[in-house]
Amino acid sequence: MSKSTLLKALVLVSLVFSGLSSAADGKKVMWRLAETWGPNFPVFGDSSKNMARLVKEMSNGRFIIRIDSANKHKSALGIFDFVKSGQYQMGHSASYYWKGKDFNTMFFTTVPFGMTTAEQNAWFYHGGGMELMKSVYDKYGIMSFPGGNTGNQMGGWFRKEINSAADFNGLKFRMPGLGGKVLGKLGASVQNIPGGELYQALSSGALDGLEWVGPFADERAGFQEVAKIYYTAGFHEPGSGLTASVNLDVFNDLTPAQQKIIEYASMATTHTGLAETLANNGAALSRLQQQGVKTMQFPDDVWDAFGAASKEVMDENMDDTLFADIRTSFESSLSASAEWLSKSDAYYVEQRQRVLGKM
């Protein structure tokens, strides 16, 4: 099924389910959405625009979401507070940016050595993840939904090769979330800089390296112009979920049908965002290599250091009861998914490459 056919099917199902018509849901709804991303920002901004479009289509034009990018509201990492206060009805960002407000939000974007996108979706929709996300955000007056996914993210852009874990010592590196705490344990000076400021920071030397998303998004950001060493697999974001957040009071004022529109538009955006990334990463990587970018993988002993530091970071937070409960649910779902995937998808891909070679 093509992307356009899938979207049309989702729209039709939602219309049938909710019984929408041009008059069924009363007055027209007009919302403002604040996003972390700048205007026309690749992948991330595509997700928020796609979600707003789906909401409009599924409501027959009676539910409109206007998007204010970071250049307009001037606070790329202020989305949580915008939505909590009701200044904006809705926001689009990533939950792990809010670790300073509530550490438990980390799980709803990604954690080191955590879930791939398929595993994450299994947890969200069939393993209790959505209920746990609600329990975290409820106390802030926010309703949160998965609102996009980039899949497995790259290991990083560097000015020099990483030959051992000691090479991270003193390195000025941008990495948000718990992955940043892991690199901090390896001696890195970790920065949490908004995406729109990364090119300049890397160009000026304010950063020695950074992680962003993957070839398709990274190429459009231009990082290949200021760094040439590219580690293609990372430990920190194996399936990075974006977040669509709504002020809870505003959400509760919607009709049940309108609430479902938000839920299903967010869900569809998660799947189509991943499809966009996967469809474009391979060709983008080839173009990067043609521009002199050297693609590499971290040595095994560096991966071992990532793993040991990741366990230490996760264990440090187990005195928080809710964190412990979420981690137990998360790891239980991950174990169940990984048991099957390792014997099916992962093994199949390994054998396909062995039998057919590079496609």
Side-chain angles (χ1 to χ4, degrees):
M1 182 181 291
S2 70
K3 176 180 174 181
S4 61
T5 302
L6 173 61
L7 289 176
K8 289 177 182 177
L10 286 166
V11 170
L12 179 60
V13 168
S14 180
L15 288 171
V16 172
F17 177 84
S18 59
L20 288 173
S21 70
S22 61
D25 278 319
K27 65 181 181 180
K28 193 170 184 177
V29 176
M30 301 285 292
W31 278 9
R32 292 168 66 227
L33 178 151
E35 62 180 359
T36 289
W37 337 114
N40 303 313
F41 206 81
V43 180
F44 298 76
D46 296 342
S47 292
S48 56
K49 290 179 180 64
N50 185 53
M51 184 167 54
R53 179 180 59 81
L54 287 173
V55 168
K56 181 179 179 180
E57 290 179 357
M58 286 192 282
S59 66
N60 287 337
R62 298 187 62 79
F63 196 150
I64 304 297
I65 298 174
R66 308 285 187 194
I67 298 173
D68 283 356
S69 299
N71 65 311
K72 183 170 183 178
H73 57 68
K74 307 297 184 184
S75 183
L77 299 181
I79 309 305
F80 183 98
D81 291 327
F82 284 153
V83 176
K84 179 183 175 183
S85 68
Q87 184 175 346
Y88 282 85
Q89 292 91 350
M90 194 170 188
H92 192 257
S93 191
S95 280
Y96 63 5
Y97 289 141
W98 323 135
K99 69 177 182 179
K101 298 177 182 296
D102 192 319
F103 218 67
N104 296 308
T105 59
M106 301 290 97
F107 288 99
F108 310 121
T109 294
T110 189
V111 297
F113 286 89
M115 295 176 171
T116 64
T117 303
E119 292 165 337
Q120 189 181 72
N121 285 337
W123 180 55
F124 274 140
Y125 299 115
H126 296 282
M130 291 293 292
E131 291 79 8
L132 287 165
M133 182 158 60
K134 187 176 188 304
S135 71
V136 169
Y137 277 97
D138 263 359
K139 57 182 174 288
Y140 303 106
I142 296 174
M143 174 67 77
S144 186
F145 299 97
N149 201 295
T150 67
N152 196 323
Q153 294 203 4
M154 47 81 79
W157 291 92
F158 294 81
R159 298 183 184 281
K160 64 178 184 179
E161 293 184 14
I162 300 297
N163 297 308
S164 71
D167 289 334
F168 281 98
N169 190 38
L171 200 72
K172 294 175 292 185
F173 199 84
R174 183 268 184 187
M175 181 179 284
L178 294 181
K181 288 183 70 68
V182 170
L183 291 191
K185 289 188 175 295
L186 300 183
S189 174
V190 180
Q191 314 291 320
N192 188 13
I193 299 175
E197 302 172 18
L198 291 178
Y199 179 94
Q200 179 59 33
L202 187 60
S203 177
S204 69
L207 289 175
D208 298 316
L210 60 84
E211 65 78 40
W212 186 226
V213 184
F216 179 52
D218 293 8
E219 178 190 32
R220 288 168 67 180
F223 299 133
Q224 70 276 10
E225 298 169 5
V226 290
K228 292 298 184 182
I229 297 174
Y230 191 56
Y231 284 84
T232 56
F235 72 95
H236 57 298
E237 299 193 33
S240 298
L242 302 176
T243 301
S245 55
V246 183
N247 179 277
L248 187 56
D249 289 338
V250 172
F251 184 79
N252 288 336
D253 284 341
L254 295 176
T255 66
Q258 290 166 339
Q259 291 176 349
K260 284 298 180 182
I261 285 175
I262 293 293
E263 179 183 345
Y264 289 145
S266 300
M267 185 185 298
T269 295
T270 296
H271 292 292
T272 56
L274 177 64
E276 178 188 19
T277 301
L278 291 179
N280 289 282
N281 270 347
L285 183 62
S286 294
R287 291 191 297 269
L288 291 174
Q289 291 170 324
Q290 291 166 12
Q291 296 175 63
V293 172
K294 183 178 181 180
T295 57
M296 302 186 69
Q297 301 289 6
F298 295 115
D300 285 352
D301 61 337
V302 173
W303 277 96
D304 292 342
F306 290 156
S310 295
K311 185 178 186 306
E312 186 177 339
V313 165
M314 296 295 286
D315 289 347
E316 286 173 351
N317 300 283
M318 290 299 286
D319 57 346
D320 182 309
T321 301
L322 183 55
F323 182 94
D325 288 345
I326 298 173
R327 184 181 181 185
T328 297
S329 171
F330 183 95
E331 292 183 349
S332 176
S333 181
L334 173 57
S335 178
S337 298
E339 176 68 18
W340 167 242
L341 290 175
S342 66
K343 292 177 172 61
S344 57
D345 295 48
Y347 187 73
Y348 161 71
V349 171
E350 178 185 335
Q351 290 299 322
R352 183 181 62 189
Q353 290 297 96
R354 185 186 66 81
V355 174
L356 300 180
K358 184 177 180 181
M359 300 297 292

